[in-house]
Amino acid sequence: MSSSPLDEQSLSQADLREIHAALFAQLITSHAHSAMILLGRYPDPSTGQTRIPDPEEAKIYIDQLEMLQAKTRGNLGPDEIALLERLLRTTGSALVQAIDAAGGQS
């Protein structure tokens, strides 16, 4: 789920629709990756350390993904829809697990 830089060489030959699709994928993947860092699933790139889960902060990124899904409904291609749905399932599941784990520690 890591967000990798766009391949500028291949995008130089792409039309605007393909460029927008690549940028959209990069945006939503970046949001999901940030959520997973905040949920303690991926190491923080600035420290290399796994963070203590912060479900409230992570939920902001997940909520933004849900907002993008709602606002772009009817305007995405099948690959974009599938990616967004997969990222929402993955981050949503990780959020539930983090909340459950935090509840068990109280």
Side-chain angles (χ1 to χ4, degrees), residues 3 18 27 33 36 40 46 59 62 67 88 90 97 105:
S3 180
E18 292 169 319
L27 173 71
H33 192 251
M36 295 300 267
S46 62
K59 189 170 181 326
I62 297 167
M67 175 273 304
L88 281 167
T90 302
Q97 290 173 8
Q105 295 176 358

Side-chain angles (χ1 to χ4, degrees), residues 14-68:
D15 64 22
L16 191 56
R17 184 173 179 87
E18 292 169 319
I19 293 169
H20 285 170
L23 289 169
F24 183 78
Q26 186 179 45
L27 173 71
I28 63 174
T29 301
S30 175
H31 264 59
H33 192 251
S34 294
M36 295 300 267
I37 290 169
L38 289 166
L39 291 169
R41 293 295 185 98
Y42 296 158
D44 185 324
S46 62
T47 65
Q49 301 296 313
T50 302
R51 298 175 53 141
I52 295 171
D54 187 345
E56 289 181 23
E57 287 294 317
K59 189 170 181 326
I60 293 169
Y61 286 98
I62 297 167
D63 288 345
Q64 289 175 352
L65 287 171
E66 289 174 344
M67 175 273 304
L68 287 168

